[in-house]
Structures are given as structure tokens and as C-alpha cells.
Amino acid sequence: DLLGEIPHCAKDDGEKKQGNPRSKRRFLRTVKKGADAKRQKRMESYFRQVDNIKATIEAVSKATKKIEQINENMMRATTSKEEDDLSTQLKALVNEINQQSKQTLTVLGLLHEETENLEKNRKLGAGDLQIRKNLNAALTKKL
């Protein structure tokens, strides 16, 4: 019998079969895992950028304290050479911090735009969306 050689699952017995529910669940899990992997990569990238922004905020905070110290030392300076040296240090520090702040604000703006686009295109879950919005607001406030 030729039909004996065909596996049972390949035989057409006149009915439309729904397929093996186990393999369907397995497929849906695989699809979900793929979506979760993409979501996870997107969020990991976002959190790396957030960590960079936090590091810059920390650097700005430390630099602000150093600027205060330099200003105090300038007030106590007794020679013009001391004042000039401190002034040079201050200018360099202020320029560096301004540049870092500008770059960080740009990145923060891009993160905000990315979050809005992901929300419009519905490519982000409600939980992830809320996390991003809250972090964006907190970082903007800190900077």
C-alpha cells in the first residue's frame, strides 16, 4: 500500500486540520522570543545611552564643585599670575563642561524623539514606554 509509506501527518483524509496545537504554541513562543529579543536589544541600547547621560551628569556635578573651588581660589589669589592660571583652568573647565552638556542634551533630545516615534508606531509596550518617558523626564530635569 503506497499510503502506508506516507507519514500520518501528511495524509489528506478529506478534513482541514488545524495542525498540531503543540507546534503552534512552540511557534508562537519562538515568535514571541524573537519579539522579546528585539525589544530587549532596543531597551538595552536605551539603557546604555541613559548610563552615558548619567555619567555626564555626574561629571558636570563634579566640575561644578571644582569651578566653585577655582572661584574661591581666585578670590584669595594674591598675584596676577595666580589669577591668570586659575582663570585659564576655569575657562578650560567651563568649555569642556559646556561641550559635554550640549552633546548630552542632543542625545537626550534624540532619545525623546525615538520614544515618540516608537509610541506612534506602536513598537513599544506600555511598560517600556512609561519607563522611557519617566527616565527622559528625570534626566532632562537633572541636566
Side-chain angles (χ1 to χ4, degrees):
D1 180 23
L2 290 175
L3 289 177
E5 296 173 13
I6 300 174
H8 179 67
C9 60
K11 293 181 187 176
D12 183 15
D13 53 354
E15 290 184 326
K16 298 255 181 195
K17 293 186 177 182
Q18 294 295 322
N20 183 349
R22 255 191 214 159
S23 60
K24 190 180 241 182
R25 283 192 302 261
R26 201 173 316 135
F27 172 75
L28 290 174
R29 275 197 311 258
T30 304
V31 169
K32 188 176 179 184
K33 282 181 184 175
D36 281 347
K38 191 173 184 180
R39 177 191 150 271
Q40 185 176 357
K41 282 184 180 181
R42 186 180 294 132
M43 290 304 287
E44 283 176 359
S45 171
Y46 175 77
F47 285 124
R48 275 193 302 276
Q49 291 172 342
V50 166
D51 287 341
N52 290 338
I53 291 170
K54 286 181 178 180
T56 301
I57 291 171
E58 179 82 20
V60 168
S61 177
K62 287 180 181 178
T64 302
K65 290 176 184 174
K66 190 167 184 173
I67 288 170
E68 290 172 1
Q69 288 175 344
I70 292 173
N71 278 331
E72 286 178 22
N73 291 339
M74 283 180 73
M75 299 298 250
R76 293 184 197 137
T78 56
T79 66
S80 60
K81 181 165 176 28
E82 275 184 279
E83 285 182 13
D84 290 342
D85 289 345
L86 291 170
S87 179
T88 303
Q89 288 178 14
L90 184 63
K91 284 180 186 177
L93 188 58
V94 168
N95 288 337
E96 180 183 333
I97 293 305
N98 284 343
Q99 184 180 5
Q100 283 182 346
S101 295
K102 185 176 179 181
Q103 289 172 347
T104 301
L105 284 172
T106 302
V107 171
L108 195 55
L110 292 173
L111 288 178
H112 182 71
E113 286 179 26
E114 180 184 32
T115 300
E116 287 179 349
N117 288 336
L118 290 170
E119 181 180 19
K120 285 179 188 175
N121 297 328
R122 299 184 186 264
K123 290 188 175 185
L124 206 57
D128 291 344
L129 181 64
Q130 195 60 44
I131 288 169
R132 288 176 77 118
K133 284 182 174 182
N134 289 344
L135 276 172
N136 287 348
L139 291 172
T140 301
K141 188 176 179 180
K142 280 185 177 181
L143 195 62

